[in-house]
Amino acid sequence: MDPGTILAAVTTSATVITLIARYYSGVKNAREDVKRFSASVEEIHSILQKVQALARGADAARLPVSDPAVAAIEQSLREITELEDQLNPKMGGKMMRRVGLRALKWPLTSKQMDEYITKLERRKAMLILALNADQTSLIIGIDTSVSRLKEKEGLAEQDRQLAKLAYAEGAAFDSSHRQYEPNCTPGTRVSLLNVLQDWAISDGKCIFWLNGMAGTGKSTIARTFAHELSHQSILGASFFFSRGTGDLGQAAKFVSTIACQLADISPLIKRYICEAISQNGGVTRQGLRNQWKELILRPLARLNGQPILTLTFVIDALDECEHEEDIGTLLQLFIEAKDVTAVNLKVFVTSRPETPIRIGFRDMSEIIYEDLVLHDIPRLIIEQDICVYLTHELVIIRKERNLPSHWPSHETLDILIQKSNGLFIYIATACRFVRDKDWLPEEQLSIILQDDVVGDSPTSRLDNMYTQVLRYSVLRNKVDKEKDRLSKRFKQIVGPIVILFDVLTSHELANILFTSESQLDVTLNSLHSVLNIPKDKSLPIRLLHPSFRDFLVNTQRCQDSNFAIDEFTVHEDLAQSCLLVMSRFLKKNMCSLRIPGTRADSLQDIQVNSHIPKHVQYACRYWLDHIQCMSHGRWRKMGLFQDGGQIHTFLKKHLLHWLEALSLIRKTSEGVSIITKLETVLKLVKEGPTTALNTLVYEAKRFILKNRSMIMDNPLQLYISALVFSPHQSVIRYQNSSQIPPWIKTLPCAENDWSSVLQILEGHSKAVRYVTFSPDGQQLASASHDHTVRLWDSKTGVALHVLEGHLSSIISIGFSSDSKKLASGDWSKVVRLWNPKSGALLQEFSIEGADSLVFSPNDQQLATGSTEGAVRFWEVATGAALHTFKGHSSKVTSLAFSPSGRQLVSGSSDKTVRLWDIATGTTLQTMQEHARMVHCVAFAPNEQYIASGSSDKTVRLWNAQTGAALLALEGHTDSVAFVVFSPDGRQLASSSWDKTVRLWQFETGATLKILKGHFDAIMSVAFSPDSQQLASASDDKRLILWEPNREETAQNSGGHSARVHCIAFSANGGQLASGSDDGTVGLWNTATGAELSLLKGHCREITFVTFSSDGKQLASSSDDGTIRLWDLDSKSVLQIFEDSSTPDRMAFSIDGQQIASAHGNKIVRLWDIQTGAALRAFEGHVDVIKNVRNSELVITALTFSFDGQQLASASLDQTVRLWNPSTGDELQTLGHSDGIRTVAFSSDGQKLASASDDGQTLASASANHTVRLWDTSLGQCLGAFDIDGAIIELTFSTNQGGFCVETNIGEIHFISDLTLTRETARPSTTWWINGDWLTWRNQNIMWLPPEFRPFLPGVVPLCFARYGSLFALVDTSHRIVFLEFHSDLDPLK
């Protein structure tokens, strides 16, 4: 920073202020103007003084001064010096002293003052912005020097976090793909760019929409504006959309790309973004709304207290975004820029004036945005700019080709300008054509001038120019035969370029077209005036302007048949090519991954791209899109959708390979959409036998939906978990059975056929209380006690948005009839209105009670039920209270409008159902048959019936006209939580606290189907608008999507009718015992999976089962307070041991003469098996924790020593207690620092191992658990060992020269003197379950589907058992399945 320049600027501005003051008293007619003018000069003088102080300060040497700051200071000096010259009178000193300054006339007109004030204000703003940026940089620099070491350690982690964000290559204005795209020629668009510059640094509207028809120069303006903003360090990010160029034509990577660029603004913003990624690992898979909030808005909001930054996002060609829904969502997101107070955030948008965008801006408040229409700018100004641009380009051509200075003539320039019709793309294309080095510029220019305009459309001249360019570039001087050949080649190569859904390099294009690169190069060599053909072969071929595509595919515009592109034909050729490419290339394990549980997101893009080339990726993503764009007549001729046709053959052989490829390239969600679209197409096709293909596609949809999250994360599990747990009769399992790994010895006895469960949706962290479909069927909304509403894609199950803001549990939600609004009400009586497409909050208001909530059919009102029994109506637009219906004597629990909107039905805790007339507020009917409170009500679509559900376990059907009770539907075993009619009027669904959904034929009362799959109460159900799906929400934190109309085949019976709570193997592994909440004990043959017996006798839930060591007896404990001892040969009860407290754990002595039991009252009891007598009670453990299922559970494990002389009890009270079974004496108390999970004796009884939850470290996300080794005679701890993971199993084994403590996580090896053979536990060579994985050597090998995981992912299942490499698992339907692995085969080979 030059001190001399600063000093000159400060001195000159002070002089100007003095001059103005001396003039002021003599000015009579414009004092206010002069005063305002003086204030502007004083403000910039003050800023310059601060700059001077900063330059002279202690940190001056360290202050990084940006180019914008230097430029602003120098420009300020020039403008103030010019102003001084204007104010200083032009006369000698003697004359000046004689007449005095005040006698002179004020030299500036009002207009001149306004111009100077505008200049000074702009310069002031630029100075402030530049200095803010510089000072921010200084602050960050100081902070960096203080904590350099810590930041170095964090930089690598930040880079790892940012690498998780998907980035759309080529999106930024300065990307390598755009390096040759021009900015505005100097001297053009000056006024417009000044307007944009002033807007960017102002405190005004946050959005600027520049719109205009194709070819008017929008993208060039956007690039130039982005370049200027970048030069001034106020560009936040840029995204240039481009239809047909993959990621640039879609919004999927928009937010993550913006976030990556934003992270480069400053280390502080980068840190905040990385923290957001780290804290919300799933954000990259969430909808645009959540990504925008987490990755953009929240990091910027955290800049509070920092200097206020100005940042502008430049978004070009929004109309090129291929999905209208995404366009609407993005516009809603842009509105939220106004809410970021820590940053002056602006969004600049360019687009054609397409309808979705015009509607989006029309719905915005004019306070938020301003717009400018390019083609409304006066024609004279546009032509002046075109003249400057054209002159500039022709000068370059003249110099390159050594042409005379008078070329071309002024008349020629005028003709070209007129022919352009105000379109810059016309002139740009013409200049590129004239510049072609293979031809004379004069000749090329004469060709352009020859075109005859036909038609009066805005693009007529452009169309004729394109035609002329192509004729002379492709067919010049060729005979007819050659013309036909060249025309065909043009269509075969250029046709795909303009039709492709993503851009490809010449090498990739040649591969997908099955032609040579040399053929491609020859064809494209003469087309540089219309195509961007980079010299760098690693860059893709692109259209120079989308208007060229529009021209070629429209026969009304491209009237020369040599060039007109038949879209149907090109799509057909590309579809064939895609299927052929995939069939030749796709195979199992394309990236040669060694570990079956490898995550797709752990692979670098370069690694994936080296194994799956881009043209193969293209084929995997777009093959069906090309088929859909073909002529339907060609479908039939080619037999595409017939059995044995190309699609059928491809899917039979390569379905799993294709899904693996999509997972590896992070496009699994597209696979779901492709199969869903294919199923829809098949329903429309009415040709020939398609049974086999229909079946395969249906199964593919079921297969993908069931395993979607697994496929997305772990591609190799397609050939392991997905196949292993598919139904036995599945076509996919049969066709791919050879893919199942050989190290699986026994496959689980899966279901015979696909069940009614389509997929299980996980994401909420607490009970889900409500679920509903949007009326358009596109979305599913769920509300939870975790204070959030989640929005899902109803077809694919993909999470779209997480709506946050409620401060208490959300108890009701509802869509408006047009699906454009979603209301949510919480316990604190706050109602929020959301835009479900974008996730944006529209409105919030407080109401008196929101225990139930529903939109009126016309979307004008909300009806809510309150605790005191009132039904209230609210105006949606304002939140104002309208009227109140009173009649219920207690809480209104449920509401439903009639489809016509004329009536409302309400259910209440007062056991009644009331029908109201909306117009008058009168009660039409009061229905009183329920014996307990009414939880739910529903209107039938035909308005003839009302259904209600109650705590009396019944669903009742009422006549809506008379209020008469028609039927009582019985079958639920607990309270009915929700009822809903199917939209087609054929079924009634009810959900209950009994964890089931029942489907009824409501006119007869017959039960059609019972749906089981949840682990806890089902609080809500909803039909999709087409009645083809049913969604259920449960307290188990999950949603399940069902196929309610599927006719299910008989499934394998699991024996139990309720949840299986506990299972255990016999000592030899030949049998398994299971205990259920239905009070029964099951016995199973582990070799065949067959049920041996179902033992009945207990009258309540079974809490524990265990075999005697000889396998002849079985003990079962129950909530009924008894332990039953069973003889397994006769299946009879030998003894019943009774206690007042529930037994939770049991253990047989080695000799089988005694059994120990741990009870909820913290007492361990010892029983004599022969007599049934209680021998003694061991007391000492204390109550420390409340368990979810058993509120007094304290003792977690019991075990006898091998000689029977000691009994160990482990507890969550952090102790292991050793007892003498003979005397009842307590021998030792062994302590941990946390609750103890399991214990084991060594064979000699001298040592005992215990595992607990102590040893947690703050440095990692999971706990490091501890194993302790004890001397049982002395009670001394011989060692404590940290093992990373939950330790559930401990055993001792001997090895050469020592012994080993085996855990489910690892093995700890010792030599005889208790010296540890290594510092860390070796990976366990045994199979185990860790979270949602079956592991081997601590590596994830097989993924467990959600039906085997009762709670959230990552939590060990409550009910499983292991015997060596044999596992018993229990699913949500209470079935027990066995899965065994070969112990001598390595799953990593």
Side-chain angles (χ1 to χ4, degrees), residues 494-643:
V494 177
I497 291 174
V498 302
I499 292 298
L500 285 172
F501 294 105
D502 197 357
V503 291
L504 297 172
T505 66
S506 59
H507 176 71
E508 295 156 0
L509 187 61
N511 282 333
I512 206 165
L513 296 181
F514 294 96
T515 188
S516 66
E517 282 191 71
S518 58
Q519 181 83 306
L520 205 71
D521 292 341
V522 168
T523 304
L524 301 180
N525 187 51
S526 60
L527 296 174
H528 285 265
S529 58
V530 288
L531 295 176
N532 182 352
I533 307 166
K535 294 179 181 179
D536 184 346
K537 293 288 187 178
S538 66
L539 297 177
I541 299 169
R542 299 172 183 270
L543 302 180
L544 281 169
H545 197 271
S547 61
F548 184 56
R549 180 204 306 118
D550 300 339
F551 162 74
L552 285 178
V553 300
N554 187 336
T555 55
Q556 298 299 312
R557 294 180 60 183
C558 182
Q559 298 183 6
D560 189 328
S561 61
N562 287 306
F563 309 112
I565 300 297
D566 181 353
E567 290 185 85
F568 291 143
T569 301
V570 177
H571 280 299
E572 179 181 329
D573 293 341
L574 285 171
Q576 299 269 29
S577 295
C578 287
L579 289 171
L580 188 56
V581 163
M582 292 190 293
S583 297
R584 289 184 177 182
F585 189 89
L586 298 181
K587 62 180 182 178
K588 180 180 178 179
N589 197 7
M590 281 168 278
C591 287
S592 302
L593 305 179
R594 176 172 170 266
I595 300 172
T598 300
R599 290 183 60 89
D601 58 14
S602 69
L603 305 177
Q604 298 295 321
D605 287 344
I606 190 171
Q607 180 181 357
V608 174
N609 294 338
S610 67
H611 289 89
I612 309 176
K614 286 288 188 177
H615 72 284
V616 181
Q617 296 183 29
Y618 179 92
C620 289
R621 295 181 62 189
Y622 298 113
W623 62 273
L624 184 63
D625 289 318
H626 287 301
I627 289 173
Q628 285 185 297
C629 292
M630 287 171 52
S631 163
H632 292 192
R634 292 294 297 163
W635 289 356
R636 297 182 179 89
K637 287 185 178 180
M638 296 171 61
L640 265 181
F641 298 106
Q642 291 182 353
D643 291 350

Side-chain angles (χ1 to χ4, degrees), residues 885-897:
F885 295 172
K886 294 185 178 180
H888 286 294
S889 59
S890 61
K891 177 180 176 180
V892 177
T893 57
S894 181
L895 296 169
F897 277 97

Side-chain angles (χ1 to χ4, degrees), residues 1 3 5-15 17 41-57 73 76 80 127 131:
M1 186 179 295
T5 303
I6 301 171
L7 177 61
V10 172
T11 304
T12 305
S13 59
T15 302
I17 293 170
V41 180
E42 289 171 2
E43 286 178 2
I44 202 164
H45 174 70
S46 175
I47 293 170
L48 289 168
Q49 283 182 316
K50 292 177 181 178
V51 175
Q52 188 178 39
L54 190 62
R56 292 173 175 173
I73 294 169
S76 298
I80 295 170
L127 275 169
L131 290 172

Side-chain angles (χ1 to χ4, degrees), residues 1036-1145:
D1036 67 8
K1037 311 170 191 175
R1038 292 171 168 179
L1039 301 167
I1040 294 183
L1041 286 177
W1042 311 81
E1043 195 173 29
N1045 301 320
R1046 178 164 178 77
E1047 293 184 8
E1048 297 182 1
T1049 59
Q1051 304 288 0
N1052 299 316
S1053 173
H1056 296 294
S1057 62
R1059 175 190 172 200
V1060 177
H1061 180 64
C1062 51
I1063 55 177
F1065 280 102
S1066 61
N1068 64 3
Q1071 294 186 67
L1072 181 92
S1074 58
S1076 169
D1077 285 353
D1078 64 9
T1080 64
V1081 176
L1083 285 175
W1084 309 83
N1085 183 311
T1086 60
T1088 65
E1091 180 185 316
L1092 299 175
S1093 182
L1094 200 62
L1095 309 179
K1096 299 179 180 180
H1098 289 290
C1099 60
R1100 294 191 65 185
E1101 297 92 337
I1102 308 300
T1103 59
F1104 201 77
V1105 290
T1106 186
F1107 285 91
S1108 61
S1109 57
D1110 60 9
K1112 295 181 178 180
Q1113 297 174 342
L1114 175 74
S1116 59
S1117 61
S1118 168
D1119 274 348
D1120 63 11
T1122 68
I1123 297 172
R1124 288 179 178 256
L1125 187 65
W1126 308 84
D1127 179 88
L1128 296 183
D1129 289 332
S1130 64
K1131 308 300 186 293
S1132 60
V1133 177
L1134 297 175
Q1135 296 287 356
I1136 299 177
F1137 310 113
E1138 297 188 52
D1139 191 80
S1140 59
S1141 181
T1142 299
D1144 291 301
R1145 296 289 182 269

Side-chain angles (χ1 to χ4, degrees), residues 78 159 735 997 1040 1067 1081 1277 1364:
R78 283 195 294 271
D159 291 338
Q735 291 175 346
V997 174
I1040 294 183
V1081 176
C1277 180

